[in-house]
Amino acid sequence: MTMLLEADNITAGYGAVTVLRNLSLHLSDNESIGLFGPNGHGKTTLLMTISGLVRPSSGSIRYDGVDITLNRASDIGAAGLAHSPQGNTLFGEMGVAEILELSAFTRRAKVQRKTQMERVYSLFPRLAERQKQLARTLSGGERQMLSIGCALMCAPRLLMLDEPTLGLSPKLKEELGIAVADIAKSGTPLVVVEQDVQFLLSLTDRLYMIEHGEVVREIDRTDAPDHAEIMKLYFGGDSDD
Amino acid sequence: MTEAMIATILSGLVLGSLYAMMASGLSVVWTTLGVFNFAHGALMTLGAYVAWTISEYLGLGLAAGMVAGTLAAALAGIVIERLLVRPFYTNRNMLLITVMTTLAAMIIIEKGTQVIWGPRLKQLPRIADGELFIFGSAISVHEALIVLIAPVTLIALWAFTARTLTGRSLRAAGQNQTAAALIGIHVPHAYGLAYALSAGLAGFTGVLLGSIRFLTPTLGSEPLVKAMTVVILGGLGSLGATAGAAFVIGFLEAFLVLTVGLYWTPSLLFLTMIVVLIFRPNGLFGGRS
């Protein structure tokens, strides 16, 4: 089992504000992981640090055996580490098909453009119906689909999804959940940030609970906590037992 | 139609074509980097002077001069982006700072051309000599060629930004830096390329203008103001809107020169822009509210 992603003792933040504190996690190339925990505790910052949008002040990140801690975001993306950011508005003045085509920008993605495009359209038939529509006129759910679609067009070796179902109706959430599960089944390792632990357990092999910028708990799917215990994790109580 | 009207229409066409070429370059930088390049007019001047050196001083011909002028301006654009714009990308007052830094570039280039080429007036030869008569009104073949070159240039520019992957990456970098980086677009490269493209276009336009007007260090300053008026009037967005606004300004200017005279024309053009913006805050062709 080789490691696809290893983050060691990451400390990162914005200016004087430290968000991540000595955070470590890892992912081997045949598993998917989930990140959960209260809002504002560093999950999004962690993904942004991994994809090169935020510079860590200490610690190191290795992807596919290579140190990428100080690499540019565009180079990390080009290496197949795709990131679908939270609430992404993408390129508002461009059409759906144009954005998807453009997302296969790097050399390794270009080769797979056609097959990935078909895959995106079969995962999200709504996008196929709206190929000419400008991204800014899409609904929230459609934008989310487009954002995931873009990440898929990058021909990912590892796909990070930041709250793919945030703010969506239960019906849309289910639709997206099925699509994400489909991606996971196809063998692309995922890092998924979500609030819904049950949803994460259905998609991923292991979960990290992140609080105050630290991993406070690691959960394996095989000994997953029940609902009451998760509530306890979120809202306090005896979480150390 | 009277001869004066035809002459006005022809003049409007020539002006509109020149403005469209200047303004589209300005618009490329605006839509990609979100800054106004105040050195755009000075880059036209630089292109014209370099073309003169190659074409007249060294006697290598206008075609060589045109290529050299375009390349020299593009290179200067890259230098300006690198030294005067890039350091301020992450600054929250980027727009304001780059107004000052690109104004500085404008002054440096203007004074620089004065030092290098001296104060004596110069002029570039025309692409072709002779005149055409249209319904009894004369237009030089050179100006007629400008009217043809402008749409070809604009269509080429549109095709590049809308159809090619590189061109699309410029638009993407302009609309969302973060998302562009995540799909593997090196945003600073995209910015540099947008600047080079815009500056090259300025240089090329300067060469065309240098055959109609005399070369002076301030050759580009009045056209710069017009180009900015055009970009703002069009609605700071698509190339189509910019081109449309360029011809509106061109025809309006030709008409105003005919009716109220040269003296009041610039003021009235500004007044028109202000009035249009009051009723259409997003410009003539800017649809979004």
Side-chain angles (χ1 to χ4, degrees):
Chain A
M1 193 168 74
T2 48
M3 283 300 158
L4 187 55
L5 182 73
E6 289 166 280
D8 277 321
N9 292 309
I10 297 293
T11 297
Y14 309 91
V17 184
T18 303
V19 180
L20 304 177
R21 294 179 179 83
N22 285 316
L23 190 149
S24 300
L25 57 74
H26 60 91
L27 169 85
S28 65
D29 61 8
N30 56 0
E31 64 170 351
S32 290
I33 59 171
L35 309 176
F36 72 105
N39 277 330
H41 283 240
K43 302 185 298 294
T44 295
T45 305
L46 175 60
L47 295 199
M48 287 171 79
T49 309
I50 292 170
S51 56
L53 296 170
V54 172
R55 284 261 168 279
S57 53
S58 68
S60 73
I61 302 166
R62 290 172 73 78
Y63 163 70
D64 206 10
V66 181
D67 190 314
I68 57 160
T69 318
L70 297 174
N71 285 16
R72 281 195 290 256
S74 53
D75 292 339
I76 293 171
L81 205 170
H83 178 179
S84 159
Q86 189 183 80
N88 196 352
T89 49
L90 287 162
F91 313 111
E93 304 299 320
M94 289 177 146
V96 169
E98 192 182 13
I99 292 173
L100 288 174
E101 272 172 47
L102 177 65
S103 295
F105 184 77
T106 61
R107 205 173 301 150
R108 60 185 297 283
K110 249 177 247 179
V111 189
Q112 301 180 41
R113 176 181 289 153
K114 246 196 151 147
T115 50
Q116 289 296 86
M117 196 91 161
E118 280 162 18
R119 185 172 171 212
V120 170
Y121 284 147
S122 73
L123 273 177
F124 303 114
R126 276 161 192 260
L127 293 184
E129 289 161 20
R130 288 167 172 72
Q131 295 189 28
K132 297 249 165 197
Q133 205 171 316
L134 291 186
R136 66 176 160 83
T137 65
L138 296 175
S139 72
E142 288 156 4
R143 274 181 211 195
Q144 200 53 256
M145 294 171 188
L146 183 57
S147 177
I148 297 172
C150 283
L152 285 175
M153 292 305 294
C154 298
R157 285 211 52 206
L158 170 59
L159 176 56
M160 304 197 292
L161 303 173
D162 197 349
E163 302 217 30
T165 67
L166 184 73
L168 300 183
S169 69
K171 191 174 166 286
L172 264 176
K173 190 173 168 178
E174 200 191 318
E175 210 178 310
L176 269 153
I178 292 167
V180 175
D182 203 308
I183 297 166
K185 239 179 275 158
S186 73
T188 308
L190 301 177
V191 176
V192 187
V193 170
E194 263 290 342
Q195 301 288 352
D196 184 340
V197 175
Q198 299 303 340
F199 179 69
L200 282 180
L201 284 170
S202 69
L203 286 175
T204 60
D205 307 289
R206 283 184 303 120
L207 304 189
Y208 290 94
M209 181 175 180
I210 292 173
E211 213 176 89
H212 300 296
E214 292 167 304
V215 171
V216 293
R217 192 167 166 163
E218 215 183 307
I219 295 168
D220 205 279
R221 178 152 65 176
T222 46
D223 62 326
D226 61 14
H227 185 73
E229 209 176 327
I230 290 161
M231 285 297 122
K232 240 189 231 167
L233 283 175
Y234 264 100
F235 299 111
D238 326 301
S239 54
D240 299 295
D241 57 6
Chain B
M1 249 195 299
T2 67
E3 221 167 279
M5 277 313 281
I6 293 161
T8 304
I9 290 170
L10 290 178
S11 163
L13 264 178
V14 175
L15 287 173
S17 303
L18 284 169
Y19 294 161
M21 288 179 68
M22 296 167 201
S24 58
L26 206 55
S27 167
V28 165
V29 164
W30 170 258
T31 50
T32 314
L33 287 87
V35 301
F36 254 131
N37 178 20
F38 278 84
H40 197 72
L43 289 165
M44 289 175 56
T45 312
L46 182 70
Y49 272 107
V50 170
W52 179 86
T53 300
I54 299 295
S55 165
E56 303 308 291
Y57 187 74
L58 299 176
L60 297 174
L62 184 62
M66 225 170 231
V67 173
T70 306
L71 290 179
L75 196 66
I78 292 173
V79 172
I80 291 173
E81 190 273 337
R82 200 73 209 219
L83 298 181
L84 299 175
V85 182
R86 194 172 291 194
F88 310 107
Y89 279 167
T90 51
N91 193 302
R92 146 200 332 240
N93 298 315
M94 178 190 180
L95 184 57
L96 210 56
I97 291 172
T98 53
V99 166
M100 295 317 294
T101 55
T102 58
L103 265 176
M106 176 188 96
I107 291 166
I108 293 166
I109 294 173
E110 273 184 10
K111 300 302 172 193
T113 49
Q114 176 110 10
V115 169
I116 296 170
W117 283 281
R120 244 187 73 202
L121 295 179
K122 298 171 176 61
Q123 195 163 32
L124 282 165
R126 297 178 169 222
I127 302 171
D129 290 321
E131 290 193 322
L132 290 175
F133 288 89
I134 297 165
F135 297 113
S137 269
I139 177 173
S140 70
V141 174
H142 180 82
E143 285 173 312
L145 283 172
I146 289 177
V147 173
L148 291 179
I149 290 170
V152 172
T153 310
L154 288 181
I155 289 169
L157 187 62
W158 172 83
F160 172 71
T161 56
R163 290 278 176 264
T164 69
L165 203 58
T166 311
R168 284 172 170 178
S169 76
L170 298 192
R171 282 161 58 224
Q175 290 171 32
N176 191 333
Q177 277 188 52
T178 306
L182 287 179
I183 58 174
I185 295 170
H186 186 32
V187 175
H189 279 178
Y191 285 177
L193 183 62
Y195 235 97
L197 185 68
S198 162
L201 205 55
F204 180 57
T205 316
V207 177
L208 295 178
L209 192 68
S211 314
I212 305 175
R213 297 186 190 167
F214 286 110
L215 268 61
T216 65
T218 55
L219 173 76
S221 49
E222 182 250 320
L224 169 74
V225 174
K226 291 280 164 51
M228 290 195 158
T229 314
V230 164
V231 173
I232 294 168
L233 187 74
L236 291 166
S238 69
L239 276 175
T242 303
F247 283 98
V248 168
I249 290 282
F251 282 117
L252 191 65
E253 181 175 345
F255 174 76
L256 287 173
V257 169
L258 179 75
T259 51
V260 300
L262 209 51
Y263 191 76
W264 285 109
T265 296
S267 317
L268 284 172
L269 284 177
F270 270 110
L271 194 66
T272 310
M273 182 190 85
I274 293 164
V275 171
V276 167
L277 289 180
I278 288 171
F279 293 101
R280 291 190 63 89
N282 299 307
L284 272 184
F285 308 104
R288 230 180 346 155
S289 57

